[in-house]
């Protein structure tokens, strides 16, 4: 339980320019938090901040942080700037995600695009922010994952899917990796959540219609609230504590994935 009042809590929401990320930022600012709004570029970030202010947010409680997650050097730079400006971080919401493209796309860092943006960037960011996340008791990391992780497997010998690429398999693998990494031991409490199938840019991967982005964001924001008791490493399906895919519950797999992630992010350093 955090002893920090909502008004003095600092939260970073990645992928906060639209959809669930933007709505989560709006909800948390409305509860008095200082919200660091992550965007892939300055223009979309400033637009997101302007829309938050237009919706009633207090501009003095909003900070913009910019990094293109397809470039891991930008993730590192952003983390350094955040740590410098915010020595204590109470919540990190790893929400940024892209749909895997129809054709296999590699980043400049040499990683398959959805694996990097949806998992490796979040993994790296969380590690790079370990000091601010450890600064106060009760800090949380909320990984916005997907029920699609249940359909996935990690291609250990071919994580970038060079031999056999399918956009659904690549996307599902990135969500499974994020869900598995939630169980890595850390000084803070980490959970992953499937916010429901929501009407966002990722909807076409799932269905033709879904819940509103606001409903998805409410499920994410709930897990950020110190009044909500959460279980370390747990997976939530909307608001219900739910078993993750069996492979995500294996300690051996957690260690294996973290070793792979360390190798892939180190290669890009």
């Amino acid at each position: 339980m955090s002893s920090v009042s909502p008004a003095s809590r600092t939260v970073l929401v990645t992928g906060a320019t639209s959809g669930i990320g933007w709505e989560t930022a709006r909800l948390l600012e409305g509860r008095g938090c200082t919200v660091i709004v992550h965007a892939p570029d300055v223009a979309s970030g400033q637009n997101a901040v302007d829309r938050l202010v237009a919706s009633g947010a207090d501009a003095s409680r909003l900070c913009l942080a910019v990094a293109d997650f397809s470039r891991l050097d930008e993730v590192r730079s952003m983390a350094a700037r955040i740590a410098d400006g915010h020595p204590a971080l109470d919540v990190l919401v790893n929400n940024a995600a892209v749909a895997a493209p129809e054709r296999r796309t590699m980043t400049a860092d040499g990683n398959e695009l959805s694996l990097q943006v949806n998992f490796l960037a979040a993994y790296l960011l969380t590690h790079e922010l370990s000091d601010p996340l450890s600064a106060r008791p009760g800090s949380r990391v909320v990984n916005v994952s997907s029920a699609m992780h249940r359909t996935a497997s990690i291609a250990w010998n071919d994580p970038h899917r060079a031999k056999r690429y399918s956009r659904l398999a690549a996307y599902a693998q990135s969500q499974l990796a994020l869900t598995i990494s939630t169980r890595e031991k850390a000084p803070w409490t980490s959970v992953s959540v499937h916010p429901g199938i929501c009407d966002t840019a990722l909807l076409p991967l799932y269905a033709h219609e879904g819940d509103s982005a606001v409903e998805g964001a409410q499920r994410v924001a709930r897990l950020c609230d110190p009044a909500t008791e959460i279980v370390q490493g747990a997976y939530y399906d909307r608001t219900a504590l739910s078993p993750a895919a069996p492979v995500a519950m294996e300690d051996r797999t957690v260690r294996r994935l973290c070793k792979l992630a360390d190798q892939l992010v180190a290669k890009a350093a």
Side-chain angles (χ1 to χ4, degrees), residues 82-190:
I82 289 171
D84 198 39
H86 304 273
L89 186 63
D90 299 288
V91 185
L92 165 58
V93 180
N94 284 314
N95 165 76
V98 293
E102 290 289 351
R103 294 187 168 203
R104 193 174 79 103
T105 303
M106 300 295 283
T107 67
D109 298 309
N111 300 309
E112 188 275 317
L113 181 70
S114 64
L115 182 69
Q116 178 162 321
V117 173
N118 302 354
F119 166 59
L120 292 173
Y123 179 86
L124 176 60
L125 182 63
T126 303
H127 281 251
E128 293 285 308
L129 289 173
S130 61
D131 286 349
L133 282 168
S134 306
R136 286 200 281 245
S139 56
R140 301 180 172 197
V141 173
V142 178
N143 291 326
V144 181
S145 176
S146 163
M148 211 180 270
H149 87 272
R150 298 184 189 285
T151 69
S153 61
I154 306 287
W156 295 108
N157 298 320
D158 184 24
H160 308 303
R161 306 265 165 174
K163 295 192 188 81
R164 233 178 112 197
Y165 178 82
S166 112
R167 68 185 303 228
L168 280 179
Y171 176 78
Q173 172 181 256
S174 72
Q175 298 303 319
L176 175 59
L178 187 63
T179 305
I180 293 170
S181 70
T182 304
R183 295 191 55 247
E184 187 184 12
K185 289 181 172 57
W188 49 84
T189 306
S190 297

